[in-house]
Amino acid sequence: MIDIILMAYRDLSERKARTILTLLGIAVGIAAIVSLVSVGYGMQEAITGELTVFADLISVMPGKLAGMSYVELGSFTDRDIRDIRRIGGIKEVTAMTHGAAEVEYRNERKPVFVLGGDTDALSSFYVEPVGLDEGRWLRENDYRVCVIGNRVATEFFDEPVHVNDKLRINGEKFIVAGVFKKASMLYAMDVDPHIFLTLRAAKDVLGNEKAKYKYITVRVYNIEEVDEIADELEERINDNHGLDEFATAMTMGSMLERISSVFSILRGVLVGIAAIALVVASIGIMNTMLMAVMERTHEIGVMKAIGAKNSDVLSLFLLESCMVSLIGGVAGCILGVILARVVSLVVSSALGMEFVPTVKVGVLFAGVGVAMCVGVLSGFYPARKASKMSPVEAVRYG
Amino acid sequence: MIIRVEYLSKVYRMGKVEVPALRDVNLEIEEGEFLAIMGPSGSGKSTLLNIIGCLDKPTGGRVFIDGANTASLSENELAEVRRDKVGFVFQQFNLIHSLNALENVSLPMFFAGVSRGERLKRAEELLAKVGLRERMHHKPLELSGGQQQRVAIARALANNPKIVIGDEPTGNVDTEAGNVIMGILGDLNREGKTIIVVTHDPVIAAHAKRVIRMRDGRLLDEE
């Protein structure tokens, strides 16, 4: 066995350039699969990891989620909030309101999304994970005071906005008390382009005097009860509004499910792309092996003339393609892990979200396995062709 | 009798034209003979040799080697005959260039499943026997034509066959090297091997104990 491996190795090293190119073909295909899948898992874990911190949280929205899109059906009332507070097992309820407002800064006007709510709750949702770049956070007794997202401060207006600058929101004067840091990917959409106010001030400027809320968050005491409470919540609010599907209460569990289904689709697409790369690589192996057979017709004839059986020739050539694909597969896995790290670094810095690729051992084994299958399958036809040659004709060749 | 050829015929097809290479050849070779087959090119001598060596299949007739009818053997069994009973020496040497002399000689034993240690030991002995102990680790292209042919003879002896067949074994080497090669074949014959050599050189044929002539695919009367 060792001898036949040595012999196959020698044959391969006689044709270094072509062997290396074939090897590269497989390695790139496997590297593509391994890296894409690992990056996919890594992203998913990073996101779900951040989300599980909020396992005791229920987000309630007045609208429906259909696939990836959200349709707002109205807003919550004070009565909804009172009813929610009556449900057992709830630690705290925070109501928020939001809406678009016209914001003026140094004679420049822009529409900006304004968000108001309980200052402590907003602080735990946004200030703790994102952090402030300058100034301070809102206090409950603040009135004409706001904190602005990083893009509001740096991008929205010609001149940057700083602490103690004055803004007009729907005509009302506000003083900027603080500016957020630039948020990571997970928070970028929620924080960067928004202005944060106290609930009172937000209701005033948005004209929602009748206490209409656009977003309610609920924290529960016991994480195990979270789904149960979410269902009850939806039911009570739907009753209040006389609609079947008015409110959507999302727990992190349902959010995680949603995210993982999105990621499994994403992974499928990535694996599909990589599979195409592999098919190309396997055509490459077949070509290499066919060329090797043709080139070595004479040698095969000699081997058969001195007593090699068809099966001897077949196994020699199959072993060669196996070795190419095994080495290619292992190299592909190593390359894939490196590639996954590089991609993660690039994507992390581009999205502002820290994550490392998750390399699953199963994925590595599958990578090598796929490479071997590709090698054996694409090596079989040329190997068989080689073994079937007539010795006298093959010897005469070349 | 180690080889018996009965009514052997071989027809090559060149497109639509059929070219007869052998016509009704009958031949008996005793164990331990040193036979030379002579004849002009195209007379069918190489074809006869290829069929006796189980490299090619006849169109008609039968060949018995060591009592076995080759027509009834499977491809694998034919490979075993080539491996164990017949040693073939080609005009073009036909060594494998990526392997050194030692490895070339041990290759038939590799196919026969002989262990590595035993293989290398025997290959070394055989190379010593043909006078190439000092050149064991050279690759074929680092050897002269005569030396390559001696490696090829050592390879033909690897599995200790009863028959050694040479198709113009001296055709590609100079006279001196040719004499060395014929000397080795003569020694092998004295050790009891059956030697069959194809040549068109009468000087070479003179080494043989029996000479037969061929023309147009037929055997002529023996001298």
Side-chain angles (χ1 to χ4, degrees):
Chain A
M1 191 60 199
I2 293 165
D3 304 290
I4 193 166
I5 290 173
L6 279 176
M7 199 146 137
Y9 166 76
R10 197 184 312 242
D11 291 335
L12 291 174
S13 55
E14 285 280 306
R15 296 171 279 120
K16 270 199 195 72
R18 206 162 65 227
T19 304
I20 288 170
L21 286 178
T22 315
L23 221 130
L24 214 63
I26 297 189
V28 168
I30 298 298
I33 291 185
V34 169
S35 63
L36 292 179
V37 171
S38 301
V39 168
Y41 275 124
M43 277 177 124
Q44 184 175 354
E45 277 189 12
I47 291 176
T48 53
E50 287 199 43
L51 288 183
T52 38
V53 177
F54 306 115
D56 62 341
L57 192 76
I58 304 171
S59 315
V60 196
M61 288 166 288
K64 268 197 301 196
L65 272 173
M68 294 297 286
S69 65
Y70 170 66
V71 184
E72 194 174 273
L73 296 173
S75 40
F76 300 122
T77 61
D78 283 326
R79 186 180 159 204
D80 292 330
I81 295 183
R82 271 203 310 278
D83 287 349
I84 292 170
R85 288 212 161 96
R86 285 200 197 108
I87 299 172
I90 289 181
K91 187 155 79 179
E92 74 182 37
V93 179
T94 311
M96 287 182 222
T97 188
H98 53 63
E102 188 187 65
V103 177
E104 185 185 329
Y105 175 63
R106 298 193 184 167
N107 297 323
E108 205 184 335
R109 290 172 185 200
K110 283 280 158 71
V112 183
F113 204 76
V114 172
L115 201 143
D118 177 73
T119 53
D120 288 342
L122 285 179
S123 168
S124 72
F125 289 156
Y126 298 123
V127 183
E128 278 170 26
V130 178
L132 292 176
D133 202 26
E134 50 179 309
R136 63 164 176 88
W137 177 238
L138 299 168
R139 290 176 196 134
E140 206 46 54
N141 55 359
D142 280 341
Y143 185 54
R144 289 290 184 255
V145 168
C146 65
V147 171
I148 61 178
N150 194 272
R151 284 180 57 209
V152 178
T154 56
E155 290 175 27
F156 281 20
F157 301 97
D158 285 345
E159 289 173 65
V161 186
H162 292 289
V163 169
N164 292 331
D165 282 340
K166 289 186 183 71
L167 297 175
R168 275 179 186 279
I169 302 174
N170 280 352
E172 301 277 345
K173 248 189 214 170
F174 278 82
I175 290 179
V176 176
V179 176
F180 272 103
K181 284 183 179 155
K182 189 147 181 50
S184 69
M185 187 178 77
L186 195 61
Y187 291 97
M189 302 256 288
D190 289 339
V191 177
D192 288 355
H194 294 167
I195 295 178
F196 296 84
L197 308 178
T198 60
L199 186 59
R200 202 154 40 106
K203 279 199 273 185
D204 276 1
V205 295
L206 294 174
N208 292 342
E209 309 84 1
K210 288 177 189 166
K212 290 192 172 173
Y213 304 105
K214 296 289 188 185
Y215 188 59
I216 297 173
T217 57
V218 174
R219 275 181 194 276
V220 300
Y221 283 111
N222 185 352
I223 293 169
E224 320 234 305
E225 289 175 353
V226 74
D227 286 315
E228 216 175 295
I229 292 173
D231 289 344
E232 197 176 341
L233 241 153
E234 273 187 9
E235 220 170 280
R236 291 213 182 179
I237 298 173
N238 287 344
D239 281 354
N240 284 351
H241 292 263
L243 284 166
D244 268 352
E245 291 186 341
F246 175 76
T248 302
M250 294 240 299
T251 60
M252 281 308 126
S254 62
M255 207 107 115
L256 290 177
E257 256 169 50
R258 208 168 266 278
I259 287 171
S260 81
S261 78
V262 169
F263 269 96
S264 72
I265 294 169
L266 186 72
R267 268 201 309 277
V269 172
L270 296 179
V271 168
I273 294 170
I276 294 171
L278 262 189
V279 168
V280 174
S282 73
I283 294 171
I285 305 190
M286 200 178 285
N287 187 41
T288 310
M289 295 311 293
L290 274 174
M291 295 266 287
V293 167
M294 266 167 61
E295 195 170 72
R296 286 159 64 204
T297 300
H298 177 72
E299 204 175 300
I300 293 163
V302 172
M303 287 192 199
K304 292 190 80 168
I306 61 173
K309 292 179 186 173
N310 291 0
S311 55
D312 294 327
V313 177
L314 185 75
S315 53
L316 181 65
F317 276 80
L318 265 186
L319 189 72
E320 281 192 32
S321 50
C322 275
M323 278 167 68
V324 171
S325 46
L326 177 67
I327 298 169
V330 171
C333 285
I334 296 168
L335 213 67
V337 172
I338 296 170
L339 199 67
R341 285 182 189 278
V342 173
V343 168
S344 301
L345 275 180
V346 173
V347 174
S348 298
S349 66
L351 296 181
M353 180 182 142
E354 285 286 313
F355 75 92
V356 288
T358 308
V359 180
K360 301 205 172 187
V361 179
V363 172
L364 294 183
F365 276 113
V368 175
V370 167
M372 293 285 283
C373 284
V374 165
V376 171
L377 288 179
S378 53
F380 190 78
Y381 167 67
R384 203 175 142 77
K385 194 177 149 123
S387 72
K388 292 272 179 199
M389 276 193 283
S390 140
V392 71
E393 278 163 32
V395 169
R396 212 175 282 148
Y397 185 95
Chain B
M1 193 177 322
I2 193 157
I3 296 169
R4 193 164 85 233
V5 176
E6 290 177 350
Y7 306 106
L8 191 68
S9 67
K10 175 76 183 178
V11 179
Y12 286 114
R13 230 173 256 282
M14 313 281 261
K16 287 189 175 170
V17 191
E18 292 192 338
V19 184
L22 292 176
R23 311 171 203 240
D24 277 343
V25 174
N26 289 287
L27 179 64
E28 288 182 350
I29 302 169
E30 298 292 335
E31 185 154 11
E33 273 200 69
F34 192 151
L35 175 73
I37 306 174
M38 292 192 70
S41 56
S43 59
K45 55 191 193 304
S46 286
T47 305
L48 176 61
L49 209 63
N50 285 341
I51 292 172
I52 290 174
C54 295
L55 291 183
D56 208 350
K57 286 181 173 167
T59 313
R62 295 191 293 183
V63 176
F64 294 87
I65 291 174
D66 213 7
N69 181 0
T70 58
S72 64
L73 299 179
S74 69
E75 281 216 27
N76 273 346
E77 288 166 329
L78 287 174
E80 280 167 15
V81 172
R82 291 194 295 266
R83 191 182 73 192
D84 302 331
K85 297 196 171 167
V86 184
F88 215 110
V89 179
F90 301 88
Q91 181 178 2
Q92 307 291 346
F93 322 136
N94 287 339
L95 298 174
I96 289 173
H97 292 171
S98 57
L99 305 179
N100 68 26
L102 200 62
E103 291 159 333
N104 262 292
V105 174
S106 54
L107 200 54
M109 293 182 270
F110 168 67
F111 293 130
V114 178
S115 75
R116 184 180 167 80
E118 211 171 311
R119 234 162 50 214
L120 292 179
K121 186 167 157 264
R122 175 153 174 81
E124 223 180 299
E125 285 166 12
L126 288 169
L127 283 170
K129 186 170 180 165
V130 297
L132 288 175
R133 187 188 278 284
E134 314 304 317
R135 303 239 181 255
M136 288 196 305
H137 299 290
H138 286 60
K139 295 241 170 121
L141 295 181
E142 297 161 359
L143 299 171
S144 72
Q147 289 170 334
Q148 286 187 56
Q149 194 61 300
R150 281 190 274 157
V151 175
I153 291 171
R155 179 179 68 182
L157 298 172
N159 288 321
N160 198 22
K162 289 185 176 171
I163 307 162
V164 175
I165 292 176
D167 186 356
E168 306 258 14
T170 57
N172 263 14
V173 299
D174 59 43
T175 316
E176 199 189 323
N179 283 331
V180 173
I181 286 161
M182 290 316 290
I184 293 171
L185 291 176
D187 290 343
L188 291 173
N189 179 240
R190 273 185 287 284
E191 287 168 22
K193 303 243 183 262
T194 308
I195 311 284
I196 308 168
V197 174
V198 158
T199 180
H200 54 251
D201 183 349
V203 178
I204 295 301
H207 288 265
K209 294 177 193 159
R210 177 184 170 201
V211 178
I212 57 175
R213 291 177 190 279
M214 286 187 79
R215 189 180 296 268
D216 300 329
R218 287 194 179 85
L219 280 186
L220 302 180
D221 293 335
E222 289 186 30
E223 293 174 357

